[in-house]
Amino acid sequence: MAEYHNIRTPLGELMYVNINGKGVQNYDGDGYEYKASIKLPKKQAKKLEKEILDYFNENKPSSYKKDEPANKIMQKLDDGDYLFTFKTKTEFTDKDGNVKKVKVRLYNAKNEEKELPDGTLIGNGSKGVIRASLKTYTNGKGKSQTAGVSMFLNAIQLAKFVPYVPDSGFDEIEDGEFEDFDNPDFPTDEKPKKSKKKDKKKDKKKDKKKKSKE
């Protein structure tokens, strides 16, 4: 059985990061996982790809003759860059049958461990480095056997943080006036109520004028 191999990506643009809370549903729909992708230019991507392929070919079953794993290591994007995706289950069962939560560790630029505040997600455009572990796997037997390499997400180091803001589906209304419920300039159809104190003062002034005439 091949040993795990730890890797660290170059600094790149982080995309589709989900490393806290419930996670996202896995491909088979029978569990949840944490995921993070990193976008790299061609030169850096090819270097990282070579490291992963070298590990795979050194640890794949001898019966598997292909030089590339059955699963895709990276995806070419329309702009010419490449995307690597790493993931890990949100929980696992240990040898004693205990279910334990998985934590993807997060570090700042100074290599200090940090916690994401509740409700905060790392958005596309953030920059950082991903630390991961590689492990070969096989499916099937004989001629139908396939082999691949799992790319497990372990930790992320953030160099630049851009918070994720969900798309509302609306555009800005050019002539719109409303900004916030606390805005004192928020227009209202209600007419201002007359102050009773002001009305009493007016009545007193009228009484004084009448008495002076008398």
Side-chain angles (χ1 to χ4, degrees):
M1 184 71 70
E3 296 292 328
Y4 284 94
H5 175 69
N6 296 324
I7 63 169
R8 189 173 65 184
T9 71
L11 178 67
E13 181 181 347
L14 299 171
M15 301 182 72
Y16 317 121
V17 178
N18 193 316
I19 60 170
N20 56 354
K22 190 177 181 179
V24 294
Q25 196 169 42
N26 63 19
Y27 179 79
D28 295 325
D30 58 359
Y32 291 85
E33 59 192 11
Y34 294 133
K35 297 176 71 173
S37 298
I38 191 164
K39 180 182 175 183
L40 298 172
K42 184 176 180 180
K43 187 176 180 179
Q44 290 181 325
K46 290 296 183 181
K47 186 176 179 180
L48 181 58
E49 180 192 37
K50 183 180 184 304
E51 182 179 359
I52 297 171
L53 285 177
D54 287 347
Y55 165 81
F56 172 74
N57 284 302
E58 290 170 6
N59 293 278
K60 68 181 181 181
S62 57
S63 57
Y64 190 77
K65 303 302 181 184
K66 295 181 180 179
D67 294 331
E68 293 190 0
N71 60 306
K72 278 189 176 182
I73 292 176
M74 62 182 185
Q75 174 190 352
K76 187 176 182 180
L77 303 176
D78 292 338
D79 62 3
D81 288 343
Y82 291 81
L83 195 71
F84 292 79
T85 298
F86 304 88
K87 53 190 176 182
T88 189
K89 291 181 179 180
T90 57
E91 58 184 28
F92 69 98
T93 303
D94 66 14
K95 60 181 180 181
D96 298 321
N98 301 311
V99 176
K100 295 188 175 182
K101 296 290 184 181
V102 171
K103 181 179 181 180
V104 177
R105 298 189 179 279
L106 182 68
Y107 298 86
N108 65 10
K110 295 182 179 180
N111 199 27
E112 300 167 333
E113 188 169 356
K114 298 294 178 180
E115 296 286 340
L116 269 178
D118 291 340
T120 301
L121 296 174
I122 299 171
N124 292 354
S126 298
K127 291 186 177 180
V129 176
I130 291 177
R131 198 175 73 227
S133 297
L134 306 178
K135 188 80 164 61
T136 56
Y137 67 86
T138 59
N139 284 322
K141 294 181 179 180
K143 293 182 179 180
S144 61
Q145 185 186 60
T146 60
V149 57
S150 296
M151 298 157 60
F152 295 109
L153 175 64
N154 293 334
I156 295 175
Q157 183 179 21
L158 280 177
K160 174 187 174 184
F161 172 63
V162 177
Y164 169 74
V165 179
D167 184 4
S168 68
F170 295 107
D171 295 321
E172 184 178 348
I173 301 174
E174 291 183 4
D175 299 328
E177 297 177 345
F178 174 68
E179 292 182 9
D180 196 289
F181 290 105
D182 295 329
N183 185 357
D185 297 326
F186 176 61
T188 176
D189 293 333
E190 291 184 8
K191 294 181 179 179
K193 294 181 180 179
K194 292 182 178 180
S195 172
K196 290 183 179 180
K197 290 183 179 180
K198 288 183 178 180
D199 291 341
K200 285 182 180 179
K201 286 181 179 179
K202 286 181 180 179
D203 292 339
K204 285 182 180 179
K205 286 181 179 179
K206 286 180 181 178
D207 291 339
K208 285 181 180 179
K209 286 182 180 179
K210 284 182 181 179
K211 287 180 181 179
S212 63
K213 288 179 180 180
E214 292 173 355

